[in-house]
Amino acid sequence: MVREPRPDQPQQQESSSSSKDSSLPTSLIRILYIGHFLARWDARMWEFSVGLYMITLWPDSLILPAIYGAIECASTALFGPIIGQWVQRSTYFKVLRIWLVTQNFSFIIAGCTVITLLFSPALKSTNFTVFILLVILTNISGAIGVLSTLAGTILIEREWVVLISEGHTPDVLTKINSTIRRIDLTCKLLAPVISGFIMSFISVKASAMTLAIWNTVAVWLEYWLFTSVYTGIPALAESSQRRISRLSPSDTVEMATTSAERVGLISQSDEISVSVEIGWRRRLTDWFSKTPFVGAWSVYSQQDVVLPGVALALLYFTVLSFGTLMTATLEWKGIPAFVIGIARGISAIIGMAATVLYPILQSHVSTLRPGLWAIWSQWTCLLVCVASILVQNHLLSAYMLMAGVATSRLGLWMFDLSVIQQMQDQVPESDRCVVGGVQNSLQSTMDMLGYIMGMIISNPQDFWELILLSFSAVTFAALLYSIHLYRVRKHLFHFEKSFVLLEWVIRSSPEDLL
């Protein structure tokens, strides 16, 4: 059943909202927030630190950060739809257990390999094979950790928050979404600052050791918190069992059909040889269409929110974020790690302001219009980054770049919240996890293309070319979302209201205006 978006809330609904909100499991929701904070802290610590680890291992080149980013994004792009389908077909408890154990264990392994590389700086020249193997192990462990994080993101943000808010007014879902995003941005604020201070005032080695120790301890607390939420909210267990009971018969039929097809392919070889042009192509097409990857993309392409989803994904084809490539470039330009961490923290604070502003706007207008305002405000702020290309002073250019990226976070995260809520409102429950997996896959594909461009343009002196490519992607995303809004609403702006206001100003006397 699709939850219908409701742009204007009736007063009767507002009067009953307090009584409905009172039935929310407030204490368990707080526990959910704490568990989500810890899980996101793990991911944000690694996300910030890995670029600095890689640039430390191979100075004066973006090749290692770019390779890591490409591998991480490629794994998500390839396996994202499959993970979405796996979450859709598995019990919540199973997803929860595998997600937390795999994520933390992967980051522990990655941290240990980085520690080994940092404590053996001569390894690159004395035993290059071992050096490459350790870098590969770091990349694989990090990619597995990010994939498991994706499963947790789909579980919490696409499923649990929707189920918890069912039966309540739409603003309850908006508030929970905003709080979840605020928690993520808080981790994005604090984790880089703490990691940057450890790197700058203690050592990079101490930072890697802190990462490994933290994940070893955190996994147990996270597991206990999320398990408490799962057992304390009956709707979660009921939905989990309902999905499994609904999917099991179809899975059995699908397995039987697949087995029959395999037997048919073996026993009917004579028939295939006779009608090879028709039979072979038909079987190949049927098999290909039933693969999880293709099936998930087919479901995604049929959704009404496909254009906003693509527009959101295009924003990931960028280096204009405090990600691996930009962090490594700022380090190359001479910006200290703790300054980068502070700048990233400021950008997170600005992003947190979006989580406060968006619910206010959404309560007065539909979820569509804030998205339009948000993406074009992001585009405007990024003009400062384009202008930084023309500045000859490296330090001034770097600070302009950080300022433009930081201020653009307000529009970015408002747009993110708008698109996510449109998907929650308009995507059927049976397709929600699949669409979430494909959306993350598409975003990672765009992110991977950005890292590939970083490998091609690996000289930090040519970073300006990546800035222009990123700005072009944001421009295209803004135009794409504008087209979607026009198709839905048949207009972009209320020009008639502007004309009425202008006419009132013209007709009014100076005394009235004063």
Side-chain angles (χ1 to χ4, degrees):
M1 182 177 180
V2 182
R3 182 200 301 261
E4 293 295 334
R6 300 165 71 177
D8 299 314
Q9 306 300 323
Q11 292 184 354
Q12 297 92 333
Q13 197 177 51
E14 292 179 357
S15 62
S16 61
S17 63
S18 59
S19 61
K20 289 185 176 181
D21 293 349
S22 62
S23 64
L24 282 171
T26 308
S27 59
L28 291 173
I29 291 178
R30 291 197 186 101
I31 293 175
L32 175 66
Y33 291 157
I34 296 172
H36 186 68
F37 173 84
L38 294 176
R40 295 308 299 166
W41 185 276
D42 302 339
R44 290 303 185 184
M45 279 186 68
W46 174 252
E47 177 188 284
F48 172 77
S49 303
V50 64
L52 298 179
Y53 295 151
M54 293 300 177
I55 200 72
T56 302
L57 295 174
W58 201 307
D60 301 324
S61 176
L62 299 177
I63 189 66
L64 283 186
I67 289 175
Y68 171 81
I71 291 175
E72 177 185 297
C73 296
S75 62
T76 305
L78 181 61
F79 296 108
I82 299 175
I83 288 178
Q85 288 188 327
W86 173 73
V87 174
Q88 187 73 43
R89 295 171 180 267
S90 303
T91 62
Y92 292 152
F93 191 75
K94 179 180 179 181
V95 175
L96 183 66
R97 183 174 61 250
I98 295 178
W99 156 39
L100 293 176
V101 173
T102 306
Q103 172 185 295
N104 288 274
F105 188 65
S106 299
F107 289 151
I108 291 170
I109 294 177
C112 291
T113 55
V114 168
I115 292 171
T116 303
L117 288 167
L118 292 175
F119 274 96
S120 305
L123 196 61
K124 184 170 65 175
S125 56
T126 58
N127 197 334
F128 189 71
T129 302
V130 175
F131 174 82
I132 292 298
L133 289 176
L134 288 174
V135 170
I136 291 174
L137 181 59
T138 303
N139 290 345
I140 293 175
S141 300
I144 294 175
V146 171
L147 284 174
S148 57
T149 301
L150 171 60
T153 300
I154 295 173
L155 178 68
I156 301 299
E157 298 184 9
R158 307 283 179 170
E159 280 290 302
W160 282 19
V161 298
V162 178
L163 291 171
I164 291 172
S165 64
E166 279 186 351
H168 301 275
T169 56
D171 65 297
V172 172
L173 178 59
T174 301
K175 291 178 182 177
I176 296 178
N177 280 336
S178 298
T179 304
I180 289 290
R181 184 61 64 225
R182 196 175 304 128
I183 289 170
D184 185 29
L185 293 174
T186 301
C187 295
K188 201 171 186 177
L189 160 66
L190 298 178
V193 172
I194 293 177
S195 298
F197 270 93
I198 293 174
M199 290 182 185
S200 299
F201 297 107
I202 303 179
S203 67
V204 179
K205 301 172 185 176
S207 171
M209 294 174 64
T210 302
L211 177 70
I213 295 172
W214 167 261
N215 282 276
T216 304
V217 176
V219 60
W220 306 103
L221 182 57
E222 293 167 14
Y223 185 79
W224 175 75
L225 290 170
F226 284 117
T227 303
S228 300
V229 175
Y230 177 77
T231 56
I233 301 180
L236 298 179
E238 292 170 3
S239 175
S240 180
Q241 294 301 323
R242 187 169 61 249
R243 289 191 314 155
I244 297 304
S245 62
R246 184 177 67 244
L247 288 170
S248 295
S250 61
D251 291 342
T252 305
V253 172
E254 183 177 349
M255 291 175 62
T257 304
T258 304
S259 302
E261 287 179 355
R262 290 176 178 174
V263 172
L265 287 173
I266 297 173
S267 63
Q268 298 177 5
S269 58
D270 294 337
E271 180 182 350
I272 294 176
S273 62
V274 175
S275 56
V276 64
E277 284 296 323
I278 299 176
W280 180 80
R281 291 180 180 179
R282 181 177 299 171
R283 285 185 173 86
L284 181 61
T285 302
D286 292 342
W287 174 84
F288 188 70
S289 63
K290 291 179 181 178
T291 58
F293 186 86
V294 176
W297 278 96
S298 177
V299 171
Y300 179 84
S301 63
Q302 296 171 12
Q303 305 300 320
D304 295 334
V305 292
V306 63
L307 284 183
V310 173
L312 178 61
L314 281 170
L315 300 183
Y316 285 76
F317 181 63
T318 184
V319 296
L320 298 177
S321 68
F322 287 94
T324 305
L325 292 179
M326 181 171 157
T327 299
T329 301
L330 293 172
E331 177 84 7
W332 173 82
K333 287 187 175 185
I335 306 297
F338 78 94
V339 175
I340 301 174
I342 292 174
R344 180 169 175 159
I346 293 173
S347 73
I349 292 176
I350 296 174
M352 289 168 63
T355 66
V356 177
L357 182 59
Y358 174 77
I360 298 174
L361 292 176
Q362 194 273 339
S363 64
H364 292 85
V365 297
S366 67
T367 56
L368 287 170
R369 277 191 286 172
L372 181 70
W373 303 336
I375 195 167
W376 282 109
S377 68
Q378 179 189 2
W379 181 89
T380 303
C381 293
L382 292 179
L383 289 173
V384 178
C385 301
V386 177
S388 70
I389 298 174
L390 306 176
V391 178
Q392 299 298 321
N393 186 294
H394 274 197
L395 287 179
L396 179 57
S397 174
Y399 281 107
M400 286 181 65
L401 180 62
M402 289 189 288
V405 170
T407 53
S408 70
R409 301 303 92 173
L410 181 67
L412 170 65
W413 291 115
M414 282 184 60
F415 184 72
D416 175 83
L417 286 169
S418 175
V419 174
I420 285 179
Q421 186 152 358
Q422 289 177 52
M423 289 185 171
Q424 291 171 333
D425 287 337
Q426 301 178 40
V427 175
E429 181 183 356
S430 59
D431 298 334
R432 199 180 294 142
C433 291
V434 176
V435 171
V438 174
Q439 180 64 35
N440 281 275
S441 173
L442 185 57
Q443 292 170 183
S444 294
T445 300
M446 296 300 170
D447 206 5
M448 178 183 64
L449 292 176
Y451 282 111
I452 290 175
M453 294 306 301
M455 286 187 285
I456 297 173
I457 309 173
S458 60
N459 191 333
Q461 293 180 344
D462 299 326
F463 192 74
W464 63 271
E465 299 178 16
L466 298 175
I467 292 177
L468 291 180
L469 284 172
S470 303
F471 184 75
S472 301
V474 175
T475 304
F476 184 57
L479 293 173
L480 197 63
Y481 187 80
S482 300
I483 292 172
H484 169 74
L485 186 65
Y486 184 81
R487 288 174 55 185
V488 174
R489 299 177 61 87
K490 307 304 179 184
H491 66 274
L492 293 178
F493 304 102
H494 290 288
F495 289 108
E496 67 281 0
K497 295 184 179 180
S498 301
F499 292 145
V500 171
L501 178 62
L502 181 61
E503 183 180 359
W504 177 82
V505 172
I506 294 174
R507 292 182 178 180
S508 299
S509 62
E511 292 79 7
D512 294 334
L513 295 177
L514 294 175

